[in-house]
Amino acid sequence: MPAIKEKNKKEDLKEGEYLVTYTRHLEKRLRSLETEKQLLDAERLRLEQELHSLRNEIDRLREPPLVTATIIDVLDEKKGRSIVKSSTGPSFVVNSSRKVKGQKIESGMRVALNQRTFAIMEILPTKLDPFVKGMEVIDSIPDISYDDVGGLEEQIQEIRETVELPLKKPELFERIGIEPPKGVLLFGAPGTGKTLVAKAVAHETQARFIRIIGSELVQKFIGEGARLVREIFQLAKEKAPSIIFIDELDAIGSRRLTIATSGDREVQRTLMQLLSEMDGFDQRGDVKIIGATNRPDILDPALLRPGRFDRLIDFPIPGWQERESIFKIHMRRMNIDKSNFNLNRLVDMTKGATGADIKGICSEAGMFAIRREAENISFKDFLEAASKVLGKMKEKSIESKLYS
Ligand code: ATP
């Protein structure tokens, strides 16, 4: 009997051992299944997120495109009711959608409108306008020096004192206790070197040169003029020292007695923005404004008040000596046949020509030589070029008579 007992005991032991091993095996299996479950859960979560983003993408693709617009005026701040000018042209009075409720809407902001209801759906980031970014010579210091300017000694002297000195040595003005002029206005017929001199000052002061053209501001970018002016000044401050050169200032700054059309209002708004920007910055700061116009007589007097364009510099039609030096400057790099070349005769025959006309004559002469496939430019080429350019000049004489 004890033998049987012994056997049973052994079997019990074996079974016990087996159960322990089996339990361990099950525990192991359970753990591995749990890990697998966790992995599958994570995978499910990932797939759910992917599904969600794909659904969003589908929704986004189904949404009609939004129309961009600029806020012209805010009528009711609480309700977000405003007048906007859409990028497609017309202006609308629109409400804000719930999406932008609570966000402050100001005139000049860029917004996105629902195509059907025209409700404001989004406020777009105020980034620099591509026009501002792509403006000529932005971010660059011109490579024109005073040596490239013929004549205009007095003008250069004056602009050096009023623009260059405050930029280079602001402490001088501080010590003496006077404010340098904020803006300088260059006036004279087209092609008399206003832009050239402004670029030369920028070069001399190592300032960025930002050129805007008044007529483009109000014709090409209707409804956007004021915003562009603000952005340009902002850019100039960021890139300081800088010179803002406003060509054709009369296009935005001409005096008008009554505001008759919406176009007038647009010009008026752009001018007001310009005045407020000019008033808003420090005279001793390192942003300088140079304006240029052919018609100073029609400018709004508000522009010429102290603290704005309070220094006027006249750019006359060049005289004999000036024409001679302008010719010399433009001929510097030209390959000219010196035999029977007579500069005096050219200078004599170009009375009334501007610097731009003289430059035109030189390039035209070069073109004649190229057409002849010649090695260099002959005096005859210059004579032909002069008569061609001067002929064109006569056509424009009504304009030039104003200044001669
Ligand atoms: P606009 O009123 O049409 O803008 P502007 O007075 O600004 O004319 P500029 O653009 O400076 O004229 O002149 C046109 C070109 O004529 C210059 O790029 C330059 O090559 C030449 N030019 C004009 N004046 C001079 C000058 N005094 N010396 C040398 N070049 C000159």
Side-chain angles (χ1 to χ4, degrees):
M1 282 314 255
I4 295 176
K5 254 190 192 171
E6 189 65 20
K7 195 181 166 205
N8 282 347
K9 206 174 164 188
K10 265 188 186 166
E11 272 177 4
D12 282 350
L13 252 165
K14 243 188 192 169
E15 204 170 321
E17 262 172 35
Y18 170 74
L19 279 175
V20 169
T21 331
Y22 189 58
T23 317
R24 273 198 202 126
H25 164 74
L26 285 179
E27 274 171 6
K28 231 186 199 172
R29 178 99 182 101
L30 184 67
R31 272 202 299 275
S32 94
L33 283 174
E34 263 170 2
T35 329
E36 208 169 308
K37 181 177 174 282
Q38 273 171 2
L39 284 174
L40 287 172
D41 277 348
E43 179 72 5
R44 185 175 54 88
L45 216 68
R46 194 185 63 75
L47 288 172
E48 269 173 12
Q49 274 169 356
E50 200 172 313
L51 181 69
H52 186 68
S53 76
L54 285 173
R55 280 210 176 114
N56 278 349
E57 178 80 19
I58 292 175
D59 287 347
R60 249 207 317 273
L61 290 174
R62 277 203 194 126
E63 241 176 44
L66 300 174
V67 180
T68 61
T70 309
I71 307 272
I72 306 271
D73 210 353
V74 182
L75 301 175
D76 184 337
E77 238 173 85
K78 267 193 195 148
K79 288 187 190 150
R81 199 172 169 77
S82 335
I83 302 177
V84 296
K85 178 166 177 54
S86 74
S87 54
T88 50
S91 300
F92 304 101
V93 173
V94 298
N95 290 314
S96 297
S97 76
R98 225 174 294 143
K99 272 186 170 177
V100 292
K101 281 269 158 66
Q103 292 187 49
K104 199 168 163 51
I105 293 179
E106 287 172 356
S107 50
M109 271 182 168
R110 282 170 7 111
V111 291
L113 307 179
N114 181 307
Q115 215 181 26
R116 257 178 283 140
T117 61
F118 288 109
I120 301 175
M121 302 299 288
E122 242 178 90
I123 293 174
L124 301 175
T126 41
K127 63 170 177 59
L128 277 183
D129 193 277
F131 166 65
V132 178
K133 260 199 243 159
M135 243 177 326
E136 192 199 13
V137 288
I138 245 177
D139 235 348
S140 75
I141 296 163
D143 56 1
I144 288 184
S145 74
Y146 293 130
D147 289 343
D148 298 314
V149 184
L152 301 176
E153 283 88 8
E154 272 176 41
Q155 286 77 1
I156 291 177
Q157 171 71 18
E158 197 158 351
I159 210 166
R160 288 189 83 157
E161 283 168 11
T162 48
V163 181
E164 193 183 311
L165 207 57
L167 276 176
K168 276 185 160 174
K169 294 185 179 161
E171 68 281 358
L172 279 184
F173 288 82
E174 227 155 281
R175 200 185 316 144
I176 303 295
I178 55 161
E179 301 290 350
K182 244 184 217 177
V184 179
L185 182 67
L186 316 181
F187 67 96
T192 41
K194 301 182 290 294
T195 314
L196 191 73
V197 169
K199 279 187 178 170
V201 187
H203 171 84
E204 195 60 37
T205 48
Q206 288 296 293
R208 314 243 174 217
F209 187 75
I210 302 170
R211 178 178 182 213
I212 35 176
I213 301 172
S215 60
E216 280 192 3
L217 216 55
V218 288
Q219 280 165 20
K220 241 166 120 180
F221 305 95
I222 306 159
E224 314 260 295
R227 182 170 61 85
L228 286 169
V229 166
R230 201 178 51 236
E231 286 182 11
I232 288 160
F233 273 77
Q234 180 63 33
L235 181 87
K237 279 178 215 159
E238 279 167 23
K239 305 275 181 189
S242 50
I243 290 177
I244 303 178
F245 181 69
I246 311 174
D247 213 348
E248 299 178 25
L249 184 65
D250 44 286
I252 39 172
S254 61
R255 170 194 354 218
R256 115 203 41 239
L257 297 171
T258 50
I259 297 176
T261 64
S262 62
D264 287 344
R265 265 192 293 278
E266 153 71 4
V267 172
Q268 189 74 8
R269 256 195 305 271
T270 311
L271 173 63
M272 298 314 282
Q273 186 68 40
L274 174 66
L275 295 179
S276 89
E277 291 292 343
M278 286 191 81
D279 292 343
F281 72 83
D282 186 7
Q283 273 170 298
R284 290 188 203 148
D286 42 13
V287 177
K288 290 276 166 245
I289 311 167
I290 303 181
T293 179
N294 307 327
R295 300 290 314 269
D297 52 318
I298 59 162
L299 282 186
D300 194 313
L303 271 170
L304 308 175
R305 276 194 205 125
R308 292 173 181 165
F309 291 103
D310 46 10
R311 188 68 73 95
L312 273 76
I313 305 179
D314 181 11
F315 279 63
I317 300 284
W320 200 96
Q321 304 255 302
E322 288 78 26
R323 290 203 302 280
E324 185 192 29
S325 64
I326 299 173
F327 263 119
K328 283 185 177 158
I329 285 169
H330 289 288
M331 286 173 175
R332 262 189 319 220
R333 270 181 233 108
M334 297 176 93
N335 190 2
I336 296 170
D337 176 8
K338 294 276 161 34
S339 58
N340 68 46
F341 185 82
N342 186 345
L343 179 60
N344 287 355
R345 199 171 145 203
L346 278 179
V347 179
D348 282 342
M349 67 190 285
T350 47
K351 186 164 183 279
T354 62
D357 295 327
I358 295 174
K359 183 189 181 184
I361 293 174
C362 293
S363 0
E364 232 5 279
M367 286 312 294
F368 281 127
I370 288 172
R371 232 168 278 159
R372 288 191 296 117
E373 292 185 23
E375 286 290 306
N376 45 27
I377 312 162
S378 69
F379 187 57
K380 194 165 161 269
D381 291 327
F382 274 100
L383 289 178
E384 277 173 22
S387 67
K388 186 174 169 185
V389 173
L390 296 177
K392 274 193 199 151
M393 225 176 80
K394 277 200 190 108
E395 286 168 21
K396 294 193 292 179
S397 65
I398 307 167
E399 217 178 317
S400 50
K401 259 182 204 155
L402 274 168
Y403 300 94
S404 52

